[in-house]
Amino acid sequence: MTALMAAAAAQSAPLKRLKSPQLDEIGRAAGALPDSIIRASAKTVALVPNGYWGGQYMVGSGETVTIYASNSYAVDSALGQRWANFLGSLVHGSELSTVTVLLSTPDQISRVCGSGALACYSPQGALLYAPGDDPSPDLSAEAVITHEYGHHVAANRVDTPWSALDSGPKRWASSMQVCARTKSGELSPGAEGPARYDVNPGEGWAETFRVLNQRKLGLAESPWEIVTPALYPTSAALTAAEQDVVNPWQADTSTVRTGSVTRTSRTRTYTVSTPLDGTLKVALRSSAGLRLALDVYASSTRVAHAAGSGTLSRSATVCGARTYRVRVSEVSGRGSFRLSVAKP
């Protein structure tokens, strides 16, 4: 969908303040679950969005969930409470209280999300447009909303140096080798158009989130149709996905080692375990009068090198390799050193 067409669609949509949107409309095969991600500077909807009713509902955990329903649905607090309870039953974290769900008619969804889409999510404003009724006998509204909520989870997770919304949260993405498979051309993070949507790991994550919750809630598992079977989660990937939700990865961890080089021990080698993809950073500081070489290896391939005195720093992208070797070698002089390693 062109930006011009998307802007025209947004003008008649409930999100009146959506500015210059670019709606990535998702192509659809029969029985698939089309959605879209609104990548625009949307602002949070008004207290009561135009054409909707509802508000905040408390769930059993004491958390609040914001639910609005189209005026096409009869005003009934039980409807909003039912959907709030359903969202509260999903595996979730603190992001639950930040989402705004707008239960909408197919026409309203088409105007905002794009023609043919069943739902969409905007990370700006944390807005989730979804049907309040089952789109078809073979596809439940619960399955659609669970998929979209998976996008909301990803939007509130970190996968430095990548976008979790595009590639999936860090543990799941690492388990599924998203970086290496993207590098090989197999996957296309952020691809929302019909040509590569089925190999978009961000959509694979949202579908994995759906499968995870349907299994935990004892619900019938919807068919895996909208993304490649190669993204169907293994048991390890499902475990990683749940950890991404309930125990999100926050930042790198750092370790420090000290050592020395002597006439008989001129080289020191350290093995670094890298179970998660991301950025490996090493910093080497030598004592006065000592010149060192710093080399970083993934298997037998050297991925970083530096030589000199004082402080040497290098980084490498961890992309599928699960161990690295860091070698410190004496160039000239004798003395001690301090090696700092930060990894995902």
Side-chain angles (χ1 to χ4, degrees):
M1 174 181 286
T2 66
L4 181 61
M5 292 171 61
Q11 288 175 359
S12 59
L15 285 181
K16 301 295 186 182
R17 298 178 181 176
L18 196 62
K19 296 180 180 179
S20 301
Q22 293 180 348
L23 302 180
D24 299 317
E25 182 182 341
I26 291 174
R28 171 183 196 207
L33 170 65
D35 73 346
S36 61
I37 295 177
I38 303 175
R39 302 180 186 276
S41 56
K43 296 182 179 180
T44 305
V45 293
L47 185 60
V48 180
N50 183 34
Y52 289 79
W53 57 267
Q56 292 188 330
Y57 298 84
M58 183 174 291
V59 297
S61 60
E63 299 164 291
T64 58
V65 186
T66 303
I67 307 285
Y68 292 109
S70 167
N71 287 343
S72 298
Y73 297 100
V75 176
D76 181 0
S77 62
L79 175 65
Q81 188 65 59
R82 178 173 76 84
W83 281 109
N85 290 343
F86 175 74
L87 286 166
S89 73
L90 301 178
V91 180
H92 67 272
S94 60
E95 80 289 329
L96 179 66
S97 63
T98 66
V99 72
T100 296
V101 177
L102 296 109
L103 303 173
S104 308
T105 66
D107 285 345
Q108 288 171 319
I109 290 171
S110 291
R111 289 198 299 269
V112 175
C113 305
S115 175
L118 293 180
C120 62
Y121 172 76
S122 170
Q124 292 82 15
L127 305 173
L128 194 162
Y129 280 86
D133 296 314
D134 295 347
S136 73
D138 300 324
L139 182 63
S140 69
E142 286 82 358
V144 176
I145 288 180
T146 303
H147 173 102
E148 295 304 323
Y149 191 83
H151 288 310
H152 178 59
V153 171
N156 287 273
R157 298 298 182 269
V158 180
D159 187 23
T160 307
W162 305 284
S163 161
L165 191 63
D166 291 340
S167 296
K170 186 164 291 292
R171 293 186 182 90
W172 174 86
S174 299
S175 177
M176 296 297 292
Q177 292 280 343
V178 168
C179 178
R181 294 164 74 182
T182 298
K183 189 175 181 180
S184 72
E186 179 185 352
L187 301 180
S188 294
E192 298 291 343
R196 299 284 287 173
Y197 172 75
D198 65 324
V199 291
N200 179 346
E203 297 300 333
W205 156 258
E207 281 292 90
T208 295
F209 183 79
R210 172 185 60 76
V211 170
L212 171 67
N213 281 279
Q214 287 179 331
R215 291 187 183 181
K216 292 185 76 70
L217 293 173
L219 302 175
E221 188 175 322
S222 304
W224 186 273
E225 295 178 322
I226 69 169
V227 292
T228 173
L231 282 170
Y232 189 81
T234 61
S235 295
L238 285 173
T239 298
E242 185 168 5
Q243 283 298 301
D244 278 324
V245 180
V246 301
N247 184 28
W249 181 85
Q250 299 290 340
D252 294 341
T253 58
S254 298
T255 57
V256 175
R257 294 180 172 95
T258 58
S260 61
V261 290
T262 65
R263 182 175 301 175
T264 57
S265 300
R266 300 177 62 185
T267 300
R268 294 280 188 262
T269 301
Y270 303 91
T271 299
V272 180
S273 172
T274 52
L276 301 176
D277 288 340
T279 303
L280 176 68
K281 302 174 184 176
V282 294
L284 178 66
R285 183 172 181 81
S286 60
S287 60
L290 176 63
R291 288 175 57 84
L292 296 172
L294 172 66
D295 294 287
V296 181
Y297 293 87
S299 187
S300 60
T301 303
R302 188 171 71 177
V303 296
H305 169 76
S309 58
T311 299
L312 306 173
S313 299
R314 289 294 184 269
S315 63
T317 299
V318 180
C319 188
R322 292 298 167 245
T323 59
Y324 282 75
R325 288 184 298 114
V326 179
R327 189 175 71 188
V328 179
S329 307
E330 175 255 320
V331 175
S332 64
R334 302 287 184 269
S336 60
F337 62 84
R338 173 188 172 94
L339 177 68
S340 300
V341 178
K343 66 177 185 177

